[in-house]
Amino acid sequence: MAGKFPEVQGGGSLILAWQVKGRHVLVVGGGEVAAGRILNLLNADALVTVICPSSGLNPEVRHRVTQKQVAHVDRVFEPTDLELINLPTVPLTTGAPDMVLVAIDDPAASSQIWKLCKKLRIPANIADVPPECDFYFGSVHRDGPLQIMVSTNGKGPRLAAAIRKFIAGQLPKGVGNAIERIGILRAKLREQAPEIEQGPKRMKWMSRVSDSYSWDDMCGLSEEDMINLLTFYADNKVPTIGTLKAMRGGVDSEAIDVFDGAFGFCVGC
């Protein structure tokens, strides 16, 4: 029986897509590493507070501050910063931080912040100090809704970047746009069949749709194509892309003469 189950491979990380939209994240530091962290957070729609003297802000972080994309506390970190609650000078904050990212060139201060976070049970990441990280930042490829992260569990960030570039080079052209179109179709299907008991059928039908069309086909799905495609859901069918194209302009699917590959011959009639 044991041979039928996957072997446990310890030493890994639990890779998750952490939803930080609307969450308050504290970034300590304003250099190049902090700039990368801040961009990742803003891309995930987090509310970001940066604690760093103005003299330590690099051009990118300074731009984020100037454009009011992040809140800025112009001084070094203080322990009470882990209890921030709507400071008048930090209008974007919504309370104590849900996450802390430290990117400063001071190992002793970084470790102290780590210990404070542990005491308050706030998830934290101390740049370049794997033992003092609740989570790691992998090398990420982004194409619209598609995100692929490569992690070496803190052992080889440069190698992770190389592997990420290799994987990105193997992906079909337009894959991000195709995923976007399928996401829109899923939302429309949920509106059409919102009942909880429809869940299994929705999932299986969407899987068949994804398996039936090429990336280019999915990229080319128009609003009209999606509406026509959804008419096949009730019968749990998935039409060919040719059928969908033939239905454009209001043509009913039953009126389409689909060639089935059969030929008839009459010899000597």
Side-chain angles (χ1 to χ4, degrees):
M1 291 294 292
K4 296 183 178 180
F5 303 105
E7 291 291 332
V8 175
Q9 300 182 46
S13 297
L14 182 62
I15 298 181
L16 305 170
W18 201 333
Q19 302 298 303
V20 295
K21 181 177 181 179
R23 300 277 185 172
H24 181 204
V25 182
L26 188 66
V27 177
V28 182
E32 182 178 353
V33 174
R37 301 286 197 258
I38 291 168
L39 179 58
N40 288 334
L41 292 169
L42 293 177
N43 284 340
D45 301 318
L47 300 177
V48 182
T49 296
V50 178
I51 296 182
C52 180
S54 292
S55 59
L57 300 179
N58 84 345
E60 182 176 346
V61 179
R62 190 177 299 279
H63 169 76
R64 306 292 179 201
V65 172
T66 302
Q67 295 300 310
K68 300 187 184 304
Q69 296 175 357
V70 302
H72 178 223
V73 179
D74 186 7
R75 56 169 171 72
V76 298
F77 173 86
E78 296 178 1
T80 53
D81 290 330
L82 297 182
E83 302 173 5
L84 282 172
I85 299 179
N86 298 320
L87 293 181
T89 56
V90 191
L92 294 184
T93 61
T94 58
D98 298 293
M99 177 189 296
V100 174
L101 309 179
V102 181
I104 56 177
D105 295 326
D106 188 333
S110 295
S111 292
Q112 186 60 32
I113 297 173
W114 161 258
K115 292 176 182 177
L116 289 170
C117 288
K118 291 300 92 190
K119 183 178 180 180
L120 296 172
R121 296 189 176 184
I122 300 175
N125 173 281
I126 312 300
D128 295 327
V129 188
E132 297 183 345
C133 292
D134 289 310
F135 53 90
Y136 301 121
F137 283 86
S139 184
V140 178
H141 170 73
R142 177 80 183 269
D143 182 358
L146 174 65
Q147 290 180 269
I148 299 175
M149 188 186 86
V150 177
S151 173
T152 58
N153 286 299
K155 298 182 184 299
R158 295 288 294 181
L159 290 178
I163 294 170
R164 183 257 303 166
K165 291 179 181 178
F166 174 79
I167 293 174
Q170 311 304 307
L171 294 174
K173 184 178 180 181
V175 63
N177 188 35
I179 294 172
E180 189 71 49
R181 304 306 293 169
I182 289 297
I184 294 173
L185 180 65
R186 284 188 64 193
K188 290 181 178 295
L189 175 59
R190 187 173 289 276
E191 291 178 0
Q192 177 176 307
E195 299 83 5
I196 295 177
E197 57 270 20
Q198 286 285 321
K201 180 181 177 181
R202 287 197 307 262
M203 292 177 63
K204 290 181 180 179
W205 189 77
M206 283 302 308
S207 294
R208 290 180 58 197
V209 169
S210 299
D211 292 340
S212 298
Y213 303 144
S214 69
W215 294 110
D216 289 339
D217 291 338
M218 287 185 278
C219 283
L221 289 176
S222 65
E223 188 79 10
E224 181 185 12
D225 291 333
M226 292 186 192
I227 293 173
N228 290 334
L229 177 54
L230 289 171
T231 64
F232 290 85
Y233 170 74
D235 294 329
N236 201 27
K237 296 180 180 179
V238 177
T240 65
I241 196 67
T243 298
L244 279 183
K245 290 181 179 179
M247 292 176 67
R248 291 173 181 173
V251 179
D252 189 271
S253 60
E254 295 182 358
I256 300 173
D257 184 15
V258 180
F259 174 61
D260 64 3
F263 288 91
F265 293 92
C266 180
V267 181
C269 294

PDB file of all heavy atoms in Angstrom, residues 5 46 52 57 64 79 101 112 136 143 158 170 176 184 193 208 213 230 237 253 257:
ATOM      1  N   PHE A   5       1.407   5.826  -2.645  1.00  0.00           N
ATOM      2  CA  PHE A   5       1.294   7.199  -2.197  1.00  0.00           C
ATOM      3  C   PHE A   5       2.617   7.940  -2.418  1.00  0.00           C
ATOM      4  O   PHE A   5       3.686   7.344  -2.390  1.00  0.00           O
ATOM      5  CB  PHE A   5       0.919   7.248  -0.714  1.00  0.00           C
ATOM      6  CG  PHE A   5      -0.364   6.522  -0.400  1.00  0.00           C
ATOM      7  CD1 PHE A   5      -0.343   5.282   0.219  1.00  0.00           C
ATOM      8  CD2 PHE A   5      -1.576   7.080  -0.752  1.00  0.00           C
ATOM      9  CE1 PHE A   5      -1.520   4.612   0.498  1.00  0.00           C
ATOM     10  CE2 PHE A   5      -2.762   6.426  -0.476  1.00  0.00           C
ATOM     11  CZ  PHE A   5      -2.745   5.183   0.140  1.00  0.00           C
ATOM     12  N   ALA A  46      -1.640  45.868  -1.728  1.00  0.00           N
ATOM     13  CA  ALA A  46      -1.488  46.034  -0.283  1.00  0.00           C
ATOM     14  C   ALA A  46      -1.406  47.512   0.070  1.00  0.00           C
ATOM     15  O   ALA A  46      -1.107  48.368  -0.780  1.00  0.00           O
ATOM     16  CB  ALA A  46      -0.222  45.317   0.188  1.00  0.00           C
ATOM     17  N   CYS A  52      11.732  54.831   6.965  1.00  0.00           N
ATOM     18  CA  CYS A  52      13.132  55.066   6.571  1.00  0.00           C
ATOM     19  C   CYS A  52      13.380  56.566   6.524  1.00  0.00           C
ATOM     20  O   CYS A  52      12.520  57.318   6.031  1.00  0.00           O
ATOM     21  CB  CYS A  52      13.395  54.460   5.191  1.00  0.00           C
ATOM     22  SG  CYS A  52      15.081  54.671   4.586  1.00  0.00           S
ATOM     23  N   LEU A  57      16.218  56.942   1.137  1.00  0.00           N
ATOM     24  CA  LEU A  57      15.318  56.498   0.081  1.00  0.00           C
ATOM     25  C   LEU A  57      16.022  56.505  -1.268  1.00  0.00           C
ATOM     26  O   LEU A  57      16.630  57.502  -1.660  1.00  0.00           O
ATOM     27  CB  LEU A  57      14.088  57.411   0.010  1.00  0.00           C
ATOM     28  CG  LEU A  57      13.205  57.499   1.258  1.00  0.00           C
ATOM     29  CD1 LEU A  57      12.053  58.467   1.006  1.00  0.00           C
ATOM     30  CD2 LEU A  57      12.673  56.129   1.651  1.00  0.00           C
ATOM     31  N   ARG A  64       7.672  56.456  -5.206  1.00  0.00           N
ATOM     32  CA  ARG A  64       6.451  55.885  -4.623  1.00  0.00           C
ATOM     33  C   ARG A  64       5.899  56.804  -3.537  1.00  0.00           C
ATOM     34  O   ARG A  64       4.678  56.988  -3.413  1.00  0.00           O
ATOM     35  CB  ARG A  64       6.736  54.506  -4.012  1.00  0.00           C
ATOM     36  CG  ARG A  64       7.382  53.505  -4.946  1.00  0.00           C
ATOM     37  CD  ARG A  64       6.485  53.063  -6.054  1.00  0.00           C
ATOM     38  NE  ARG A  64       7.186  52.121  -6.934  1.00  0.00           N
ATOM     39  CZ  ARG A  64       6.830  51.864  -8.184  1.00  0.00           C
ATOM     40  NH1 ARG A  64       5.766  52.472  -8.714  1.00  0.00           N
ATOM     41  NH2 ARG A  64       7.515  51.005  -8.917  1.00  0.00           N
ATOM     42  N   PRO A  79      10.183  50.373  18.093  1.00  0.00           N
ATOM     43  CA  PRO A  79       9.343  49.231  18.456  1.00  0.00           C
ATOM     44  C   PRO A  79       7.847  49.506  18.403  1.00  0.00           C
ATOM     45  O   PRO A  79       7.051  48.636  18.038  1.00  0.00           O
ATOM     46  CB  PRO A  79       9.800  48.909  19.880  1.00  0.00           C
ATOM     47  CG  PRO A  79      11.231  49.350  19.904  1.00  0.00           C
ATOM     48  CD  PRO A  79      11.268  50.594  19.059  1.00  0.00           C
ATOM     49  N   LEU A 101       8.360  43.614   6.456  1.00  0.00           N
ATOM     50  CA  LEU A 101       9.499  43.299   5.597  1.00  0.00           C
ATOM     51  C   LEU A 101      10.643  44.222   5.977  1.00  0.00           C
ATOM     52  O   LEU A 101      10.484  45.445   5.994  1.00  0.00           O
ATOM     53  CB  LEU A 101       9.138  43.501   4.122  1.00  0.00           C
ATOM     54  CG  LEU A 101       7.856  42.830   3.625  1.00  0.00           C
ATOM     55  CD1 LEU A 101       7.629  43.150   2.148  1.00  0.00           C
ATOM     56  CD2 LEU A 101       7.912  41.338   3.843  1.00  0.00           C
ATOM     57  N   GLN A 112      16.610  42.379  15.906  1.00  0.00           N
ATOM     58  CA  GLN A 112      15.762  42.894  16.977  1.00  0.00           C
ATOM     59  C   GLN A 112      14.321  43.046  16.494  1.00  0.00           C
ATOM     60  O   GLN A 112      13.371  42.713  17.209  1.00  0.00           O
ATOM     61  CB  GLN A 112      16.297  44.248  17.474  1.00  0.00           C
ATOM     62  CG  GLN A 112      15.566  44.812  18.689  1.00  0.00           C
ATOM     63  CD  GLN A 112      15.653  43.893  19.900  1.00  0.00           C
ATOM     64  OE1 GLN A 112      16.634  43.190  20.100  1.00  0.00           O
ATOM     65  NE2 GLN A 112      14.597  43.900  20.712  1.00  0.00           N
ATOM     66  N   TYR A 136       9.642  33.420   2.096  1.00  0.00           N
ATOM     67  CA  TYR A 136      10.673  33.896   1.179  1.00  0.00           C
ATOM     68  C   TYR A 136      10.023  34.544  -0.038  1.00  0.00           C
ATOM     69  O   TYR A 136       8.883  34.228  -0.395  1.00  0.00           O
ATOM     70  CB  TYR A 136      11.550  32.736   0.684  1.00  0.00           C
ATOM     71  CG  TYR A 136      12.253  31.972   1.767  1.00  0.00           C
ATOM     72  CD1 TYR A 136      12.040  30.608   1.925  1.00  0.00           C
ATOM     73  CD2 TYR A 136      13.133  32.601   2.638  1.00  0.00           C
ATOM     74  CE1 TYR A 136      12.685  29.890   2.912  1.00  0.00           C
ATOM     75  CE2 TYR A 136      13.783  31.899   3.635  1.00  0.00           C
ATOM     76  CZ  TYR A 136      13.552  30.541   3.772  1.00  0.00           C
ATOM     77  OH  TYR A 136      14.185  29.833   4.754  1.00  0.00           O
ATOM     78  N   ASP A 143       2.608  37.594 -16.181  1.00  0.00           N
ATOM     79  CA  ASP A 143       1.991  37.893 -17.477  1.00  0.00           C
ATOM     80  C   ASP A 143       0.500  38.042 -17.226  1.00  0.00           C
ATOM     81  O   ASP A 143      -0.250  37.073 -17.261  1.00  0.00           O
ATOM     82  CB  ASP A 143       2.255  36.754 -18.474  1.00  0.00           C
ATOM     83  CG  ASP A 143       1.672  37.050 -19.867  1.00  0.00           C
ATOM     84  OD1 ASP A 143       1.034  38.107 -20.030  1.00  0.00           O
ATOM     85  OD2 ASP A 143       1.845  36.220 -20.770  1.00  0.00           O
ATOM     86  N   ARG A 158      19.965  33.631  -7.177  1.00  0.00           N
ATOM     87  CA  ARG A 158      20.402  33.850  -8.561  1.00  0.00           C
ATOM     88  C   ARG A 158      20.006  32.689  -9.454  1.00  0.00           C
ATOM     89  O   ARG A 158      19.599  32.861 -10.603  1.00  0.00           O
ATOM     90  CB  ARG A 158      21.924  34.043  -8.605  1.00  0.00           C
ATOM     91  CG  ARG A 158      22.422  35.273  -7.893  1.00  0.00           C
ATOM     92  CD  ARG A 158      22.104  36.548  -8.625  1.00  0.00           C
ATOM     93  NE  ARG A 158      22.794  36.659  -9.889  1.00  0.00           N
ATOM     94  CZ  ARG A 158      22.687  37.708 -10.716  1.00  0.00           C
ATOM     95  NH1 ARG A 158      21.889  38.710 -10.383  1.00  0.00           N
ATOM     96  NH2 ARG A 158      23.353  37.745 -11.841  1.00  0.00           N
ATOM     97  N   GLN A 170       9.588  29.074 -22.231  1.00  0.00           N
ATOM     98  CA  GLN A 170       8.895  27.900 -22.770  1.00  0.00           C
ATOM     99  C   GLN A 170       7.385  28.105 -22.873  1.00  0.00           C
ATOM    100  O   GLN A 170       6.685  27.275 -23.459  1.00  0.00           O
ATOM    101  CB  GLN A 170       9.168  26.671 -21.881  1.00  0.00           C
ATOM    102  CG  GLN A 170      10.626  26.426 -21.547  1.00  0.00           C
ATOM    103  CD  GLN A 170      11.497  26.304 -22.779  1.00  0.00           C
ATOM    104  OE1 GLN A 170      11.212  25.513 -23.671  1.00  0.00           O
ATOM    105  NE2 GLN A 170      12.558  27.097 -22.828  1.00  0.00           N
ATOM    106  N   GLY A 176      -1.026  34.744 -20.957  1.00  0.00           N
ATOM    107  CA  GLY A 176      -1.669  35.600 -19.969  1.00  0.00           C
ATOM    108  C   GLY A 176      -3.028  36.085 -20.440  1.00  0.00           C
ATOM    109  O   GLY A 176      -4.001  36.097 -19.682  1.00  0.00           O
ATOM    110  N   ILE A 184     -12.838  35.489 -17.441  1.00  0.00           N
ATOM    111  CA  ILE A 184     -14.090  36.201 -17.736  1.00  0.00           C
ATOM    112  C   ILE A 184     -15.207  35.195 -18.000  1.00  0.00           C
ATOM    113  O   ILE A 184     -16.344  35.362 -17.534  1.00  0.00           O
ATOM    114  CB  ILE A 184     -13.899  37.129 -18.954  1.00  0.00           C
ATOM    115  CG1 ILE A 184     -12.903  38.250 -18.615  1.00  0.00           C
ATOM    116  CG2 ILE A 184     -15.236  37.724 -19.392  1.00  0.00           C
ATOM    117  CD1 ILE A 184     -12.523  39.120 -19.796  1.00  0.00           C
ATOM    118  N   ALA A 193     -25.111  30.097 -13.724  1.00  0.00           N
ATOM    119  CA  ALA A 193     -25.440  28.939 -12.886  1.00  0.00           C
ATOM    120  C   ALA A 193     -24.835  29.138 -11.502  1.00  0.00           C
ATOM    121  O   ALA A 193     -23.836  28.507 -11.147  1.00  0.00           O
ATOM    122  CB  ALA A 193     -24.918  27.661 -13.529  1.00  0.00           C
ATOM    123  N   ARG A 208     -13.148  21.019 -19.394  1.00  0.00           N
ATOM    124  CA  ARG A 208     -13.295  20.540 -20.775  1.00  0.00           C
ATOM    125  C   ARG A 208     -13.069  21.673 -21.770  1.00  0.00           C
ATOM    126  O   ARG A 208     -12.450  21.469 -22.816  1.00  0.00           O
ATOM    127  CB  ARG A 208     -14.689  19.933 -20.974  1.00  0.00           C
ATOM    128  CG  ARG A 208     -14.908  18.607 -20.242  1.00  0.00           C
ATOM    129  CD  ARG A 208     -16.297  18.074 -20.487  1.00  0.00           C
ATOM    130  NE  ARG A 208     -16.536  17.878 -21.922  1.00  0.00           N
ATOM    131  CZ  ARG A 208     -17.743  17.737 -22.457  1.00  0.00           C
ATOM    132  NH1 ARG A 208     -18.822  17.813 -21.682  1.00  0.00           N
ATOM    133  NH2 ARG A 208     -17.872  17.547 -23.754  1.00  0.00           N
ATOM    134  N   TYR A 213      -9.629  23.879 -26.381  1.00  0.00           N
ATOM    135  CA  TYR A 213      -9.177  24.982 -27.227  1.00  0.00           C
ATOM    136  C   TYR A 213      -7.692  25.271 -27.038  1.00  0.00           C
ATOM    137  O   TYR A 213      -7.141  25.100 -25.953  1.00  0.00           O
ATOM    138  CB  TYR A 213      -9.984  26.251 -26.924  1.00  0.00           C
ATOM    139  CG  TYR A 213     -11.478  26.088 -27.094  1.00  0.00           C
ATOM    140  CD1 TYR A 213     -12.370  26.737 -26.252  1.00  0.00           C
ATOM    141  CD2 TYR A 213     -12.001  25.275 -28.101  1.00  0.00           C
ATOM    142  CE1 TYR A 213     -13.745  26.599 -26.400  1.00  0.00           C
ATOM    143  CE2 TYR A 213     -13.376  25.123 -28.261  1.00  0.00           C
ATOM    144  CZ  TYR A 213     -14.237  25.778 -27.412  1.00  0.00           C
ATOM    145  OH  TYR A 213     -15.590  25.633 -27.565  1.00  0.00           O
ATOM    146  N   LEU A 230     -21.648  29.586 -23.735  1.00  0.00           N
ATOM    147  CA  LEU A 230     -22.400  29.286 -22.518  1.00  0.00           C
ATOM    148  C   LEU A 230     -23.738  28.609 -22.799  1.00  0.00           C
ATOM    149  O   LEU A 230     -24.310  27.964 -21.910  1.00  0.00           O
ATOM    150  CB  LEU A 230     -22.620  30.571 -21.712  1.00  0.00           C
ATOM    151  CG  LEU A 230     -21.367  31.150 -21.035  1.00  0.00           C
ATOM    152  CD1 LEU A 230     -21.668  32.521 -20.450  1.00  0.00           C
ATOM    153  CD2 LEU A 230     -20.860  30.207 -19.952  1.00  0.00           C
ATOM    154  N   LYS A 237     -22.034  20.242 -22.996  1.00  0.00           N
ATOM    155  CA  LYS A 237     -21.283  20.037 -24.231  1.00  0.00           C
ATOM    156  C   LYS A 237     -20.307  21.183 -24.457  1.00  0.00           C
ATOM    157  O   LYS A 237     -20.488  22.290 -23.952  1.00  0.00           O
ATOM    158  CB  LYS A 237     -22.232  19.938 -25.426  1.00  0.00           C
ATOM    159  CG  LYS A 237     -23.167  18.737 -25.389  1.00  0.00           C
ATOM    160  CD  LYS A 237     -24.067  18.717 -26.611  1.00  0.00           C
ATOM    161  CE  LYS A 237     -25.006  17.509 -26.592  1.00  0.00           C
ATOM    162  NZ  LYS A 237     -25.908  17.492 -27.770  1.00  0.00           N
ATOM    163  N   SER A 253     -26.857  27.311 -33.408  1.00  0.00           N
ATOM    164  CA  SER A 253     -25.968  26.152 -33.548  1.00  0.00           C
ATOM    165  C   SER A 253     -26.615  25.027 -34.340  1.00  0.00           C
ATOM    166  O   SER A 253     -25.945  24.286 -35.055  1.00  0.00           O
ATOM    167  CB  SER A 253     -25.556  25.640 -32.159  1.00  0.00           C
ATOM    168  OG  SER A 253     -26.692  25.246 -31.408  1.00  0.00           O
ATOM    169  N   ASP A 257     -24.268  23.390 -40.515  1.00  0.00           N
ATOM    170  CA  ASP A 257     -24.018  22.082 -41.124  1.00  0.00           C
ATOM    171  C   ASP A 257     -22.563  21.729 -40.876  1.00  0.00           C
ATOM    172  O   ASP A 257     -21.668  22.224 -41.561  1.00  0.00           O
ATOM    173  CB  ASP A 257     -24.318  22.129 -42.625  1.00  0.00           C
ATOM    174  CG  ASP A 257     -24.157  20.755 -43.291  1.00  0.00           C
ATOM    175  OD1 ASP A 257     -24.109  19.753 -42.553  1.00  0.00           O
ATOM    176  OD2 ASP A 257     -24.089  20.697 -44.536  1.00  0.00           O
TER     177      ASP A 257
END
